[in-house]
Amino acid sequence: MTPAAASETSTAGLDASPLVDDLGFLLARASATTQSRGNAALADHALRVRSYSVLALAVSEQHPSQRELADFLRLDPSQVVALIDDLEKSGLVVRESDPRDRRANVVVATPAGRSAYTAARASAREAEQQSLQALNAAERAELARLLRIVAFPTES
């Protein structure tokens, strides 16, 4: 039995429960589903969704600090340190002194990290397309717009 078939069998009938109307549950389930697909797609690149996220931010010209990464990704700082350690051991990122605060480090992608990110990004996008295949282009754009509002609420 395939994992998908096993999942369908083990949840048979549960999709009629009141939980399927709970937005928090739906967001968590959608996240878990897309993260699972993303991890599978990124495995060929020796990455997982979380390490890919750190690498993607390290590739940016913003040179985020470890604290900024933790805050943006909503992860405990110790988790971010472990992710950066792994990426650094793989030669994909380096820590440099933060010119804004010499007590802090910024995370910067190496040339190998930039190449790895480019290759991994294609796999991540493909996994995202698979996760969202039930939606047309307009629905995907609307979902992205709504999720940005939820993920980054404006502060009043």
Side-chain angles (χ1 to χ4, degrees), residues 12-99:
L14 295 178
D15 58 355
S17 78
L19 191 57
V20 300
D21 292 325
D22 183 304
L23 289 177
F25 167 76
L26 292 172
L27 284 168
R29 182 166 168 93
S31 176
T33 300
T34 56
Q35 188 166 23
S36 176
R37 281 197 176 110
N39 284 336
L42 292 167
D44 290 342
H45 306 281
L47 295 168
R48 295 181 57 79
V49 169
R50 285 186 175 179
S51 56
Y52 170 79
S53 298
V54 171
L55 182 60
L57 293 168
V59 165
S60 78
E61 295 303 317
Q62 296 170 340
H63 304 292
S65 70
Q66 292 179 181
R67 168 58 68 186
E68 289 167 333
L69 287 169
D71 290 346
F72 186 77
L73 296 173
R74 309 292 284 183
L75 295 174
D76 185 271
S78 65
Q79 292 174 303
V80 171
V81 167
L83 291 167
I84 295 168
D85 285 347
D86 288 344
L87 290 168
E88 197 169 38
K89 286 176 191 168
S90 299
L92 302 179
V93 301
V94 294
R95 288 176 171 100
E96 296 178 355
S97 290
D98 186 342

Side-chain angles (χ1 to χ4, degrees), residues 100-118:
R100 302 165 291 182
D101 179 357
R102 295 183 62 149
R103 298 167 294 166
N105 289 319
V106 294
V107 181
V108 179
T110 63
R114 290 182 181 283
S115 295
Y117 169 73
T118 300

Side-chain angles (χ1 to χ4, degrees), residues 27 132 135 138-148:
L27 284 168
L132 301 175
L135 303 177
E139 291 167 332
R140 288 178 191 177
E142 180 65 2
L143 177 61
R145 186 187 73 76
L146 293 170
L147 288 174
R148 276 189 212 94

